[in-house]
Amino acid sequence: VQLVESGGGSVQAGESLRLSCATSELTYTYYCMAWFRQAPGKQREAVGKRDSDGRITYADFPKGRFTISQDNAQNTLFLEIHNAKAEDTAMYYCAADDKACPFDAVPASPFFAFWGQGTQVTVSS
């Protein structure tokens, strides 16, 4: 399973950024996928997940500033960060697993067997 993240970089506070996670058609069609982030010195935390049927569920913290979207033709999952804040500085990861996503919850990181290499987001205030 290959998950290839891209789109990270350095932005100023208040700007927006869109991250991408490209994968194979098999993974995209049948796997539970999710976005995570890990800030320096902190635990990896979930942003949200996409079920194999395309349904998106967010974790508790995003509070409207994060949007997960998808491009079915490109087998790609996106994460948009709106009105970026310094505390959004982190490595952002795409994850996948062939187990079915829990219906209405975002699994913690041990649920996922496959991970991308991550893409760094740095927000300057």
Side-chain angles (χ1 to χ4, degrees), residues 93-106:
Y93 296 94
C94 183
D97 199 277
D98 60 356
K99 296 188 295 291
C101 279
F103 178 73
D104 209 20
V106 182

Side-chain angles (χ1 to χ4, degrees), residues 10-80:
S10 297
V11 297
Q12 295 292 316
E15 294 182 341
S16 297
L17 198 65
R18 190 176 79 161
L19 312 180
S20 301
C21 172
T23 189
S24 69
E25 182 177 1
L26 178 68
T27 301
Y28 187 82
T29 302
Y30 295 108
Y31 281 46
C32 175
M33 296 179 66
W35 280 104
F36 284 79
R37 70 179 190 179
Q38 188 166 19
K42 295 191 176 182
Q43 288 191 327
R44 193 168 294 189
E45 62 179 344
V47 178
K49 70 164 173 80
R50 173 194 179 271
D51 294 9
S52 58
D53 63 1
R55 193 168 68 98
I56 304 294
T57 305
Y58 293 95
D60 291 336
F61 87 86
K63 305 295 185 192
R65 290 196 304 109
F66 292 74
T67 301
I68 296 174
S69 59
Q70 52 200 315
D71 183 335
N72 296 336
Q74 298 295 323
N75 302 318
T76 299
L77 196 64
F78 300 102
L79 175 64
E80 292 181 86

